[in-house]
Amino acid sequence: MSRARFIALSLVMDAVFVNAGIVLAFLIRFGGHLPSFNFEPYTRLAPYITLLFLSACYVYGLYEPERTENPWALARAVLQAATVGTLLVLGLLYMVGPEFQSFPRLALVIAAPAQSALLVGWRLMSLRVTPIRWPEQRVLLVGVGSVAVELAHELERRARWGYHVVGLLAQDEVEFAAVGEGRDGFAVLGVAADTAKVAAENDVDRVIVVSPIALRELVEDLAVREETNVRVDVVPELYEVFIGTVDSMISDIPLMEITRRTVPPYFLAIKRMADVIAAASLILVLSPVLLLSALAILATMGAPVLFSQERVGKDMRVFRALKLRTMVREAEKDTGPVLAAEDDARITPVGRFLRRYRIDELPQLINILGGDMSFVGPRPERPFFVEQFVRDIPGYKERFRIKPGVTGLAQVNGSYATTPERKLKYDLIYMYHQNLPMDVQIIIETLRVVLTGRGAR
């Protein structure tokens, strides 16, 4: 059985048995009868009850069977999920109207043991009848010490979940010569400096760094290499646990992922809806500002008013970003593409005012409506510079996983002249931690920049 089929089966079976436990509790409570006066409120609330219980099951890892492979761990997780699910439903009954007050609370308490037994029982039976086979996950360990060997054995013991250790990497040539080509039954394929090469040659899906922290810079590029596209985890030192988040455990060994994925689809859908509504509203509200700015440009610089330029967006797709013109005509005729500087002589007095208060960016509301940009995200850069930055700055390609923005974390914390390396750090912080409250905070900070002119010279 594949992972997807197991999860689908789990959802269906859990929904059935959660409700079967409640029906059984009604029969026990009312001596084998289902009085409509008491049972009818349950039938109306059943979808919500089911959703609350399934959410509790998800929280306690019941759809990740590798976390509950031990029967005792499974029983503990199910009992916790059933307890939390029961409390959530009791809270729901407290909040609903008086027409649901005939729902007997005692039935939920009686149902909890039955639900726990049913949820544990069907899982144990299904694992015996139809063993689950996960897609193979080829793992390379950087390190040959005792922790690395222990971790390798733990992964091999979990082979049923798809783990396959392709080998280990020594710290350096000296250690490689000392351990030879094998370590406790596992092949030693090279040294840490060869991580990217070995990962590509062996179709590795996941690299786990168990070596001292000094070696991590040797495999840092794995987190951003498109051609390898592997997940990179580290076994953290104590101080890293204080500043980071443990993402998973293998046996009692904690792991921290350094190649985090982007946000879930529901967040992107909410963000897109908010972008469209806000952009359309602002175009209407700020139309007088746009009109006055256009007249000022015409009076001082002449036509054209709008300036469009190729920019690189999500997934490295090129689009044309719109701005109000702030520079003299043919500003790059003699120099070619040049990044903006603090005291750029090409910027006109009116253009400097428009840039100072970010008014020149307002036409990008049209880019937001068109889906090329968002309100918040990394600022889109020109293809000429992107090509340079991708070549020269490790990890620069990561920022193109999400849509570019009119404003971003780098813009409210820096200036036009902030170096690309520093901007990238802000972009990655936003990309890996973005949420709606953060977007709101960045927009508020942007308004402060607009009103004070801070950071935009």
Side-chain angles (χ1 to χ4, degrees):
M1 185 188 300
S2 69
R3 183 185 186 100
R5 288 184 178 180
F6 173 81
I7 293 174
L9 175 65
S10 297
L11 290 169
V12 172
M13 296 297 287
D14 286 351
V16 169
F17 285 125
V18 160
N19 288 281
I22 295 176
V23 173
L24 179 62
F26 268 91
L27 292 173
I28 294 173
R29 169 67 177 79
F30 295 102
H33 299 285
L34 297 175
S36 58
F37 177 72
N38 302 101
F39 194 70
E40 192 267 341
Y42 156 70
T43 60
R44 293 170 59 188
L45 292 174
Y48 307 101
I49 293 173
T50 303
L51 182 61
L52 290 174
F53 270 98
L54 293 182
S55 299
C57 290
Y58 170 79
V59 167
Y60 286 100
L62 294 181
Y63 305 120
E64 302 172 55
E66 59 266 43
R67 291 178 56 184
T68 56
E69 57 184 327
N70 182 286
W72 292 110
L74 172 62
R76 183 172 62 252
V78 167
L79 182 59
Q80 290 171 325
T83 302
V84 170
T86 300
L87 292 174
L88 289 173
V89 175
L90 288 171
L92 173 67
L93 292 175
Y94 177 79
M95 292 186 294
V96 294
E99 65 269 25
F100 296 98
Q101 295 309 306
S102 59
F103 189 126
R105 277 59 171 172
L106 181 59
L108 291 173
V109 178
I110 297 173
Q115 290 168 331
S116 299
L118 290 169
L119 295 183
V120 170
W122 87 257
R123 278 178 167 78
L124 293 178
M125 187 175 297
S126 69
L127 291 177
R128 290 177 179 271
V129 176
T130 56
I132 301 169
R133 294 297 174 191
W134 261 219
E136 186 179 51
Q137 187 175 160
R138 298 173 65 80
V139 183
L140 175 67
L141 302 181
V142 181
V144 293
S146 58
V147 176
V149 172
E150 178 188 355
L151 184 57
H153 281 297
E154 289 293 340
L155 289 168
E156 286 292 281
R157 194 170 69 83
R158 291 163 169 77
R160 65 181 299 180
W161 308 124
Y163 294 117
H164 173 64
V165 178
V166 300
L168 314 178
L169 294 177
Q171 174 176 339
D172 49 34
E173 295 292 346
V174 175
E175 188 176 63
F176 181 70
V179 299
E181 297 183 356
R183 177 79 163 88
D184 204 16
F186 296 98
V188 180
L189 303 176
V191 297
D194 301 327
T195 303
K197 176 173 173 263
V198 174
E201 290 175 349
N202 291 273
D203 297 322
V204 168
D205 304 296
R206 186 175 184 180
V207 172
I208 301 178
V209 185
V210 197
S211 55
I213 191 169
L215 291 177
R216 291 182 186 163
E217 61 184 22
L218 300 177
V219 295
E220 198 175 45
D221 63 329
L222 277 170
V224 296
R225 282 199 177 199
E226 184 180 14
E227 59 269 27
T228 51
N229 192 29
V230 300
R231 168 175 172 169
V232 182
D233 296 273
V234 298
V235 177
E237 302 292 337
L238 182 60
Y239 84 92
E240 292 172 295
V241 175
F242 289 129
I243 64 175
T245 302
V246 174
D247 298 290
S248 59
M249 301 275 290
I250 295 179
S251 184
D252 58 354
I253 302 174
L255 297 177
M256 295 173 63
E257 185 181 357
I258 62 173
T259 49
R260 297 181 182 276
R261 301 296 175 244
T262 52
V263 295
Y266 73 83
F267 174 82
L268 297 178
I270 294 172
K271 185 171 181 176
R272 175 59 183 157
M273 182 172 62
D275 280 343
V276 171
I277 294 172
S281 302
L282 284 175
I283 287 175
L284 293 175
V285 172
L286 298 176
S287 55
V289 176
L290 286 166
L291 178 60
L292 290 173
S293 300
L295 291 174
I297 294 170
L298 284 172
T300 58
M301 294 184 281
V305 171
L306 285 178
F307 173 72
S308 72
Q309 194 174 62
E310 284 192 342
R311 298 294 174 110
V312 180
K314 186 175 184 291
D315 299 326
M316 302 289 288
R317 188 175 64 83
V318 176
F319 69 99
R320 298 200 72 86
L322 300 175
K323 294 182 71 173
L324 292 173
R325 186 161 69 90
T326 59
M327 291 188 176
V328 297
R329 291 191 187 94
E330 300 181 340
E332 296 179 340
K333 180 180 179 181
D334 299 323
T335 63
V338 178
L339 288 171
E342 289 190 13
D343 298 309
D344 200 319
R346 301 169 299 167
I347 302 174
T348 66
V350 170
R352 197 170 302 280
F353 176 85
L354 295 177
R355 285 197 175 201
R356 181 177 181 84
Y357 294 101
R358 299 295 202 270
I359 298 172
D360 64 316
E361 310 284 359
L362 291 180
Q364 287 170 27
L365 293 170
I366 298 173
N367 290 118
I368 294 176
L369 288 177
D372 292 319
M373 295 180 65
S374 177
F375 269 99
V376 182
R379 284 295 293 155
E381 193 50 82
R382 286 187 278 176
F384 177 84
F385 296 113
V386 168
E387 186 177 341
Q388 293 180 15
F389 297 155
V390 168
R391 182 181 65 246
D392 300 336
I393 303 175
Y396 193 81
K397 216 170 194 178
E398 278 285 280
R399 72 197 296 273
F400 298 105
R401 287 190 180 191
I402 60 175
K403 285 183 183 180
V406 174
T407 186
L409 201 58
Q411 281 61 53
V412 299
N413 288 280
S415 69
Y416 269 89
T418 300
T419 64
E421 292 85 355
R422 291 181 182 176
K423 287 181 179 178
L424 176 63
K425 291 180 180 180
Y426 285 117
D427 292 339
L428 295 183
I429 289 171
Y430 173 75
M431 189 177 77
Y432 291 133
H433 302 281
Q434 61 179 308
N435 51 61
L436 290 177
M438 178 182 282
D439 280 8
V440 172
Q441 182 181 0
I442 291 172
I443 290 171
I444 292 172
E445 289 295 320
T446 301
L447 291 175
R448 291 178 60 190
V449 170
V450 168
L451 295 175
T452 63
R454 176 175 59 85
R457 292 183 290 273

